[in-house]
Amino acid sequence: MNTTKTAVHFVDNELISPTNPISVNLIGAGGTGSKVLTALMEMNHSLIALGHAGLQVRLWDDDIITSANLGRQRFAESETELYKSVALINRCNRFTGTNWKAETAKFEKGKLGRLPDYAQATITITCVDNVQARFGIAEILKEISNRRNHRDEPKYWLDFGNSQHTGQVLLSTIGEINQPQSEKYKTVANLPMITDEFGELLKQSEQEDNTPSCSLTEALEKQDLFINSSLTQMGCSLLWGLFRNGMTPYRGFFHNLKDFNTHPIKVA
């Protein structure tokens, strides 16, 4: 008889029954980030309806909307020349009455070598388009995780990444999350960061040409029309499951839209 226990991660209690809205840093407002923000808006409304305190989102992006962003990203022609983060956050706040914040800057250390206190959040979601940015964010998260007794102490990092037809979503913990005793499951306190577990693979897959696309046609040559939205729905479903179930046997997935294959990554 097989007595192997299923490995699961139990979610930090702060996410399940918080006194205040859960702080979320969403980094990147492009093809994936603009769609993730819409999913967070839906998630926030649903959580509040279920008696949860909801989410408080801060969107980081220093890019300006251009005509190449229309169609594949969540922007209208009337919004060209505006900051992506400002256009999206203003729209969300008007639509749902939230007080979410926009930052027209990159999520990185300032001249004094540190982030402002308001840059700290319980959940960090990254939708960035280059590997170097991921490593920089990982370094910052490890550094600020040492600031204890802070209401917005970093707990989780959800990273979205993709190429033209493929992509992945990976959930990490920032340090270890206390786990309950369980006779039924093998509890896992630490979910490794993507930069630690797949760092070399990320470096090998990085493309040399990261220049902005000048048209929608050129953008579609780099990323297929629906790769961002398919990753968004599945990745945000993973996050939604953390709130609803309080535990997860999965910490992400690899996704190939061209042949419709998705491979889950199990907690181990």
Side-chain angles (χ1 to χ4, degrees):
M1 184 175 67
N2 186 5
T3 58
T4 303
K5 293 182 179 180
T6 301
V8 302
H9 173 77
F10 282 91
V11 180
D12 189 277
N13 287 334
E14 184 179 347
L15 270 67
I16 306 302
S17 54
T19 303
N20 299 297
I22 299 295
S23 56
V24 178
N25 272 334
L26 174 56
I27 305 172
T32 302
S34 61
K35 295 176 175 65
V36 168
L37 185 67
T38 301
L40 292 176
M41 183 179 69
E42 296 169 351
M43 198 180 303
N44 176 64
H45 184 87
S46 300
L47 286 170
I48 292 173
L50 292 168
H52 191 276
L55 309 174
Q56 178 62 36
V57 177
R58 188 178 294 270
L59 177 61
W60 298 75
D61 200 304
D62 66 337
D63 280 349
I64 300 292
I65 302 166
T66 68
S67 58
N69 303 138
L70 309 182
R72 197 177 61 83
Q73 301 181 19
R74 290 278 195 264
F75 302 110
E77 187 172 355
S78 60
E79 294 173 321
T80 55
E81 304 303 321
L82 298 176
Y83 280 103
K84 290 181 177 180
S85 57
V86 172
L88 290 170
I89 288 295
N90 283 345
R91 195 188 310 158
C92 281
N93 288 341
R94 287 196 302 267
F95 194 78
T96 62
T98 50
N99 188 30
W100 292 358
K101 306 298 182 181
E103 296 293 335
T104 57
K106 293 181 179 179
F107 187 83
E108 60 186 12
K109 295 179 181 178
K111 294 180 180 179
L112 298 179
R114 58 169 294 176
L115 283 168
D117 289 339
Y118 63 76
Q120 192 159 312
T122 302
I123 300 174
T124 297
I125 303 175
T126 46
C127 307
V128 295
D129 56 7
N130 67 82
V131 172
Q132 195 58 41
R134 280 193 181 88
F135 279 94
I137 291 166
E139 180 182 341
I140 290 171
L141 290 176
K142 289 177 181 178
E143 180 179 322
I144 61 179
S145 68
N146 295 323
R147 304 178 192 171
R148 300 299 177 184
N149 301 318
H150 193 288
R151 183 172 67 85
D152 297 320
E153 179 183 333
K155 298 292 179 66
Y156 292 98
W157 176 16
L158 186 65
D159 178 72
F160 290 76
N162 69 279
S163 57
Q164 185 175 11
H165 298 288
T166 62
Q168 75 285 326
V169 176
L170 192 71
L171 176 70
S172 308
T173 58
I174 313 302
E176 293 193 351
I177 305 297
N178 290 332
Q179 299 289 288
Q181 295 292 327
S182 176
E183 295 183 359
K184 184 177 181 179
Y185 299 106
K186 171 190 173 184
T187 59
V188 178
N190 180 271
L191 306 178
M193 289 186 171
I194 188 171
T195 49
D196 293 334
E197 188 173 17
F198 299 108
E200 291 304 314
L201 186 62
L202 285 173
K203 292 175 182 177
Q204 292 173 14
S205 65
E206 184 173 27
Q207 297 181 356
E208 295 296 327
D209 182 15
N210 286 321
T211 55
S213 302
C214 296
S215 68
L216 177 58
T217 302
E218 185 177 340
L220 291 173
E221 291 298 321
K222 296 180 180 180
Q223 297 186 47
D224 192 57
L225 183 59
F226 292 110
I227 183 62
N228 304 106
S229 53
S230 59
L231 280 174
T232 295
Q233 293 302 305
M234 296 181 66
C236 288
S237 179
L238 173 61
L239 181 60
W240 173 246
L242 298 183
F243 289 109
R244 294 295 290 143
N245 304 321
M247 57 179 284
T248 178
Y250 301 103
R251 59 189 185 95
F253 57 88
F254 294 105
H255 182 55
N256 187 323
L257 189 60
K258 193 170 185 178
D259 60 14
F260 303 105
N261 275 331
T262 300
H263 299 283
I265 304 173
K266 293 184 177 180
V267 171

